[in-house]
Amino acid sequence: MSISDENIAELFEQYKDEVRETIETLDNELVNLEQDPSNSETIFSLFRHMHSLKGSSKMFNVDNIATIAHRLEDLMSMIDKNNAILTKYPKIVDLLFKGNDIFREIISRLEDDITYTAMTADHMAFVGEIQSQIEKINRRDSQLVDAAKKLIEDIEALIPALEENEAELIKKDVSEVNTGLALATLEEDGVNQIRYNYNGADLTETVRTMDEILGKFKEEKATSEDGENFLAAANKLYASLADVATEDAMGLIGELGDGLNLFTERELEMDQMTVEFFSEMLEGLKQKFQVEVEAPAVKTSRSSKSSSAVKEPQVKTIRVDEAKIDLFLESVGRLITKSEILNHLQFSFRQAGVDIGLLRDFATVSRTISNDIVNLQRSIMEVRQVEMNNILKKFPRLVRDISHKIGKEAEMVIVGERVPIDKSLLDDVEQAMVHIVRNAVDHGLETPDERLAAGKPRRGTVGITVTQEEAAILIEVADDGRGLDLEKIKTKALERGVISPEQEGTLHEKDVEMLVFSSGLSTKDQATDLSGRGVGMDVVMTNLKKWNGEVLIDNRPGKGLTVGLRLPVTNTLLTKEAIMIRVASSTFCLPLEFVNEIVTVPKSDVHHHKEGAVFRHRDMVISVIDLKGLLGLPDETYGAGVPEDGSPEAVSSVEGSLVFVILRGKNENRQSILADEILGQQKIVIKEFELETFRKLPYFNGLTLLGDGRVVLILDTDKLLES
């Protein structure tokens, strides 16, 4: 099979995607294994992933991954049988991490060079390391087997001198140990001494038949009749297992069934690749069977170790170019605009005196179309979304590597992996989080000795919590370290010229905390390859501004720090409810989610001073944003009266009163916009500015097209509040 063949190019892309997912999974499971070496479920899961990685790589002739995975599988098989090995040889986990990094490097190279599939000198050297470790374990196990045999001989010599009831118990124990030793030391020519069972089903003859025929194929001595007999035996095995299978073997049994279906549907031949696939599958299944060793004196069964590891349910997916989804969304956006045109026509028909019955029918159809379009848009938006776990699963390995490198102890706790986020945000969010998590371990967490002296656990914790909000997601990275040293931050900011001496005395606590996001500022005295250059947290702020996000900081000196990132759920086409306001002769949109309320205030209650106008409302002093001054609009007379279109929903300034839109800000200091007229509420489609010139407009974050064809700018409430 050649990777360059057009008919398997797509399958090879799927293979690479699956390997990448396996690599991320292995990273997390190895972190768990390092923290809990006795966890049988993790050990078995690692063994199963190595087995799958080996099998799929062989199918595509990616020999380097297949060979390394095969040797690591052998190592994991030994650990699966005796997880005490990890306690005796803790460096095995480092070896497994190294193997996973090699897999990652190979897959990366395959993107540019699909011929990078052969073993290199470095790969061979690594296989040698694995083999050396296996031999070291085997030498130890061989010594243990010899010692066990000697102990059994000594015990059997003592049995005649024991009381009858004591002798019976000892004989039973000796029989079980003898069975275990016979199985552990069984030679290849003794394979027919083994019997296989699974949940009461005797599978011995079927397994022996399959083994025998596979041997013929490997020696190229098989006939066409052997091929038919093998498939019959394999199908019989699958049927037998399907009837009695429990969760511990469902994954492997499912893979066997998939293999048989693929083989028969495509009318494949029993070539060496197929033989290897079924051989590996059979060996994997044998690990699940209960076995007996036939011996004249002993016929006691020893159950193989079970695991509750369950293969996750398969989700059927299709690969779709992201650009096609964006085009579809643009089409939906145009439909929403057309829907608003229908609403505008409805008002015009009413003004023209169209029959009320026809008008009611038109309104019903218009409303139904509008709802269907919104539902369609929501469904397409969900297609663009992926779970946060796509990036979160990488962080346990990151925390592990950093903490090991700088001599700290840390663990990762993640909550909210299944919260959805738009795929277009993933790369920037991941980049920002890497810097925050790295700082949490390097700057935040203390050394083990420092933590013990402070009365904290030796091992620090870095947690990531993701929560879904109405139109945003909140990502919080928290550590239980030392927190921010605000005085040191101010000192460093002065040294680097980030703030002036005059500014230092006017900074509030929150202002000092936000200085950590300034370019060129670091509290480290000496730069390392991890931190100290003052560029990491600056990247966080840059990415957030790009996506209209915000940063939240909760500093707990001596107890820890939490950095929160609030981001929009999506950066693509958005539909929002908005109010339309007229200021001077211009019309603007304000998304309804940023509007706290609309109030009419007597002119006499509005007071002016140096910093602008204010009025009192519900025991709060509301400041007025000078929108006309900010945008350079003509200062026309307020109170223009009824709007030109005469729409009943419009609200305008009235004689002796002013209309204010109170904005919903990020704090309790309410601010408002003075509007000449409130033109009503409608659904809008937010479009980003395409021209760079428009992107530089300071108080707008997009535009929308109204039902009557007008293009209206959308006010950026965050920028207005900052003004």
Side-chain angles (χ1 to χ4, degrees):
M1 180 187 296
S2 172
I3 292 173
S4 59
D5 291 345
E6 291 185 7
N7 59 333
I8 67 162
E10 186 175 347
L11 289 175
F12 187 63
E13 288 301 315
Q14 292 177 12
Y15 158 76
K16 289 191 292 184
D17 288 341
E18 289 171 3
V19 173
R20 291 188 193 97
E21 291 177 8
T22 300
I23 289 169
E24 299 297 341
T25 301
L26 288 173
D27 266 345
N28 288 338
E29 293 191 335
L30 287 172
V31 171
N32 294 336
L33 183 67
E34 190 169 51
Q35 295 174 356
D36 183 9
S38 63
N39 192 317
S40 297
E41 293 182 15
T42 303
I43 291 170
F44 173 74
S45 183
L46 283 165
F47 169 75
R48 182 167 58 84
H49 280 107
M50 290 296 180
H51 177 79
S52 298
L53 192 57
K54 176 189 67 176
S56 59
S57 299
K58 282 187 176 182
M59 289 188 69
F60 288 97
N61 293 331
V62 185
D63 294 334
N64 41 21
I65 292 182
T67 302
I68 294 171
H70 190 174
R71 299 310 290 148
L72 288 175
E73 180 192 18
D74 291 341
L75 183 59
M76 287 309 305
S77 178
M78 299 175 72
I79 298 169
D80 187 42
K81 293 173 183 174
N82 178 15
N83 57 22
I85 289 174
L86 283 173
T87 306
K88 299 171 189 172
Y89 306 101
K91 293 296 182 182
I92 287 177
V93 178
D94 291 331
L95 198 63
L96 293 167
F97 270 119
K98 184 177 179 180
N100 208 33
D101 288 337
I102 292 174
F103 295 150
R104 186 178 282 110
E105 178 261 338
I106 293 171
I107 284 295
S108 178
R109 290 279 298 272
L110 280 172
E111 286 298 317
D112 301 319
D113 181 9
I114 60 173
T115 65
Y116 187 69
T117 58
M119 293 286 287
T120 66
D122 288 341
H123 297 161
M124 294 299 295
F126 179 65
V127 168
E129 289 182 55
I130 302 170
Q131 185 60 34
S132 176
Q133 183 65 70
I134 290 174
E135 289 173 359
K136 188 183 295 184
I137 296 169
N138 279 335
R139 285 196 298 271
R140 181 73 175 269
D141 287 349
S142 178
Q143 293 169 5
L144 290 174
V145 168
D146 291 342
K149 287 181 177 179
K150 180 66 169 63
L151 178 61
I152 292 300
E153 290 174 4
D154 292 342
I155 292 174
E156 287 178 332
L158 294 174
I159 288 177
L162 298 176
E163 295 291 337
E164 185 177 347
N165 59 339
E166 294 176 337
E168 288 301 319
L169 291 174
I170 297 297
K171 284 179 181 179
K172 181 181 178 184
D173 292 339
V174 167
S175 295
E176 290 181 353
V177 174
N178 270 325
T179 301
L181 289 173
L183 185 63
T185 60
L186 196 66
E187 299 295 337
E188 286 298 321
D189 57 5
V191 69
N192 286 334
Q193 291 177 248
I194 300 177
R195 298 197 64 82
Y196 298 94
N197 289 245
Y198 188 81
N199 283 354
D202 188 349
L203 310 171
T204 306
E205 296 308 318
T206 306
V207 172
R208 287 179 180 175
T209 299
M210 292 174 69
D211 270 331
E212 181 183 350
I213 298 175
L214 285 170
K216 289 183 181 180
F217 274 109
K218 289 176 182 178
E219 296 174 5
E220 298 184 352
K221 296 179 180 178
T223 64
S224 59
E225 185 180 355
D226 286 324
E228 294 174 4
N229 291 338
F230 175 80
L231 284 179
N235 279 294
K236 181 179 179 182
L237 178 64
Y238 176 75
S240 300
L241 291 174
D243 290 338
V244 296
T246 56
E247 289 182 348
D248 68 314
M250 287 298 291
L252 286 170
I253 295 168
E255 290 177 22
L256 174 62
D258 292 342
L260 286 170
N261 288 338
L262 181 66
F263 188 85
T264 54
E265 286 174 4
R266 299 196 179 182
E267 298 182 349
L268 300 178
E269 296 182 358
M270 288 288 288
D271 56 17
Q272 287 302 315
M273 185 184 71
T274 307
V275 169
E276 187 65 27
F277 170 78
F278 281 116
S279 296
E280 298 295 344
M281 181 61 59
L282 188 58
E283 288 304 312
L285 287 169
K286 284 180 183 178
Q287 299 292 328
K288 293 296 170 192
F289 298 159
Q290 293 91 36
V291 298
E292 292 180 347
V293 179
E294 294 180 351
V298 181
K299 280 194 179 182
T300 307
S301 66
R302 187 192 74 168
S303 296
S304 63
K305 201 166 24 177
S306 65
S307 168
S308 59
V310 182
K311 189 174 182 179
E312 292 184 2
Q314 293 288 323
V315 178
K316 292 185 178 180
T317 60
I318 57 173
R319 296 168 64 90
V320 180
D321 189 340
E322 194 174 333
K324 292 181 179 179
I325 299 177
D326 290 341
L327 287 173
F328 195 3
L329 276 172
E330 288 181 13
S331 299
V332 173
R334 288 193 290 271
L335 286 175
I336 293 173
T337 302
K338 299 297 189 295
S339 174
E340 289 303 319
I341 292 176
L342 292 178
N343 291 335
H344 184 73
L345 287 174
Q346 181 182 336
F347 172 76
S348 300
F349 291 163
R350 185 166 64 245
Q351 294 295 100
V354 173
D355 179 76
I356 190 66
L358 290 175
L359 190 61
R360 186 166 52 248
D361 292 342
F362 183 87
T364 300
V365 172
S366 174
R367 187 164 52 251
T368 300
I369 291 173
S370 177
N371 291 338
D372 288 345
I373 292 172
V374 170
N375 289 334
L376 176 62
Q377 185 205 17
R378 186 178 297 114
S379 298
I380 299 302
M381 291 299 295
E382 289 176 358
V383 172
R384 281 188 57 90
Q385 292 178 343
V386 294
E387 292 182 352
M388 277 294 296
N389 193 46
N390 280 269
I391 56 176
L392 294 182
K393 61 187 178 184
K394 302 176 182 179
F395 286 95
R397 172 72 189 273
L398 177 67
V399 169
R400 181 260 181 194
D401 287 350
I402 294 174
S403 58
H404 278 221
K405 189 169 188 176
I406 60 179
K408 295 183 179 180
E409 295 182 14
E411 64 179 343
M412 179 100 257
V413 178
I414 296 176
V415 178
E417 303 98 318
R418 307 194 76 84
V419 172
I421 184 173
D422 193 294
K423 192 175 184 296
S424 63
L425 300 174
L426 274 186
D427 290 341
D428 286 337
V429 170
E430 180 181 353
Q431 188 180 23
M433 289 179 65
V434 165
H435 289 295
I436 297 173
V437 170
R438 184 181 290 156
N439 270 24
V441 180
D442 193 21
H443 291 275
L445 296 183
E446 308 92 337
T447 64
D449 291 342
E450 289 172 339
R451 291 182 64 83
L452 291 173
K456 296 181 179 181
R458 180 181 179 86
R459 177 181 291 174
T461 301
V462 178
I464 298 178
T465 303
V466 186
T467 51
Q468 177 85 60
E469 298 184 343
E470 183 177 353
I473 62 170
L474 177 62
I475 305 169
E476 293 179 303
V477 181
D479 66 72
D480 61 350
R482 56 173 64 94
L484 294 177
D485 185 339
L486 300 186
E487 289 303 317
K488 188 172 184 179
I489 291 173
K490 281 200 289 186
T491 302
K492 290 289 184 179
L494 277 170
E495 290 176 1
R496 304 290 173 91
V498 177
I499 59 172
S500 65
E502 294 77 20
Q503 289 176 303
E504 182 187 7
T506 63
L507 291 176
H508 296 291
E509 187 175 290
K510 289 294 180 185
D511 298 326
V512 179
E513 291 172 355
M514 294 303 292
L515 286 176
V516 299
F517 297 99
S518 302
S519 178
L521 180 65
S522 174
T523 55
K524 275 210 165 183
D525 298 318
Q526 187 172 0
T528 68
D529 58 349
L530 278 178
S531 61
R533 294 176 176 81
V535 295
M537 299 302 277
D538 177 41
V539 171
V540 174
M541 186 58 72
T542 301
N543 287 353
L544 278 177
K545 287 180 178 178
K546 178 180 177 181
W547 300 119
N548 296 317
E550 65 172 310
V551 176
L552 308 169
I553 290 183
D554 177 18
N555 184 37
R556 305 176 301 282
K559 295 182 179 178
L561 174 72
T562 299
V563 178
L565 309 178
R566 180 174 282 117
L567 294 152
V569 173
T570 180
N571 186 55
T572 320
L573 180 73
L574 283 176
T575 304
K576 291 182 181 289
E577 290 291 335
I579 62 167
M580 315 296 297
I581 65 172
R582 181 176 65 81
V583 179
S585 58
S586 300
T587 301
F588 302 106
C589 275
L590 259 176
L592 201 59
E593 64 190 88
F594 300 120
V595 176
N596 196 61
E597 60 181 315
I598 300 171
V599 296
T600 302
V601 180
K603 289 182 179 179
S604 58
D605 290 349
V606 180
H607 305 284
H608 298 267
H609 56 81
K610 290 183 180 180
E611 296 181 1
V614 297
F615 61 90
R616 181 172 291 277
H617 177 66
R618 294 181 181 172
D619 297 327
M620 288 191 299
V621 175
I622 311 292
S623 60
V624 180
I625 297 171
D626 182 13
L627 190 59
K628 291 183 180 179
L630 290 173
L631 302 180
L633 300 175
D635 189 9
E636 299 175 355
T637 304
Y638 293 113
V642 179
E644 293 179 5
D645 63 3
S647 54
E649 65 268 32
V651 180
S652 64
S653 304
V654 295
E655 189 65 31
S657 298
L658 299 174
V659 175
F660 293 94
V661 179
I662 301 177
L663 303 177
R664 181 176 289 117
K666 298 172 184 176
N667 51 49
E668 294 303 318
N669 298 323
R670 296 291 186 208
Q671 299 186 62
S672 65
I673 295 174
L674 175 62
D676 289 335
E677 190 174 347
I678 306 298
L679 300 174
Q681 175 181 332
Q682 75 172 62
K683 193 183 274 52
I684 63 169
V685 176
I686 299 177
K687 296 284 289 182
E688 284 188 337
F689 295 121
E690 294 184 4
L691 296 178
E692 186 63 31
T693 304
F694 286 110
R695 290 177 185 169
K696 294 178 181 178
L697 293 174
Y699 302 108
F700 304 99
N701 61 6
L703 53 86
T704 190
L705 185 65
L706 300 185
D708 57 7
R710 286 182 295 160
V711 176
V712 176
L713 294 171
I714 301 168
L715 291 169
D716 186 336
T717 56
D718 287 342
K719 297 290 177 57
L720 290 174
L721 292 170
E722 289 172 3
S723 68

